[in-house]
Amino acid sequence: MEILSSRTLLISRDPAALTDFYRNRLGLAVAREYPGGIVFHAGAGFLEIPAHLSAEAAEAAPPDVLWLQVRDAAAARAELAAAEVAILAEPEVKPWGLIEMTVADPDGRRLIVVEIPADHPLRRDVRE
């Protein structure tokens, strides 16, 4: 199987509120809008809010967690706080060396906002 592209679909009881959050509070760029939904750019991936899908599915589904890499976690924290985004955990260096903070979207979905420090192994070329 050859995968050409992928995206994460966020099914919500209130797609309008979720769309507002990702468009206006997080400031994600719109990749496309279609009757019944919207697709946002999210780094190298996409987030889609398919308003046309069943709200009952959102009731039964476990909460998703999104991992979003940023250049500067402190700057992201300031932007999110100014946009009145609920900050669940302040930016801190985790035992695995990443700077992470946790925020929530209107559906209670956790978004882990991550900065990879310059000296972290994810930034180093370990090939010899």
Side-chain angles (χ1 to χ4, degrees):
M1 174 174 69
E2 179 183 15
I3 298 173
L4 301 177
S5 175
S6 67
R7 65 183 58 176
T8 300
L9 276 63
L10 304 178
I11 299 170
S12 176
R13 290 178 292 281
D14 189 348
L18 200 62
T19 297
D20 178 69
F21 176 83
Y22 284 97
R23 182 193 306 246
N24 299 317
R25 294 191 184 201
L26 260 54
L28 298 186
V30 174
R32 74 183 269 268
E33 293 185 67
Y34 61 92
I38 188 166
V39 179
F40 293 101
H41 289 283
F46 295 97
L47 292 177
E48 180 172 351
I49 301 172
H52 63 283
L53 292 182
S54 170
E56 292 84 36
E59 297 288 336
D64 301 309
V65 177
L66 300 177
W67 190 93
L68 304 171
Q69 182 183 348
V70 299
R71 293 186 192 281
D72 183 335
R77 192 246 181 260
E79 288 178 37
L80 295 171
E84 300 180 353
V85 172
I87 298 173
L88 305 178
E90 294 290 335
E92 68 175 335
V93 178
K94 296 295 188 178
W96 43 91
L98 300 177
I99 300 168
E100 297 184 6
M101 75 174 183
T102 305
V103 301
D105 75 12
D107 288 333
R109 187 176 293 109
R110 291 183 306 141
L111 288 72
I112 300 172
V113 179
V114 179
E115 175 186 339
I116 302 174
D119 63 345
H120 192 277
L122 288 173
R123 291 269 192 119
R124 285 182 279 176
D125 187 348
V126 294
R127 297 174 291 179
E128 296 205 46

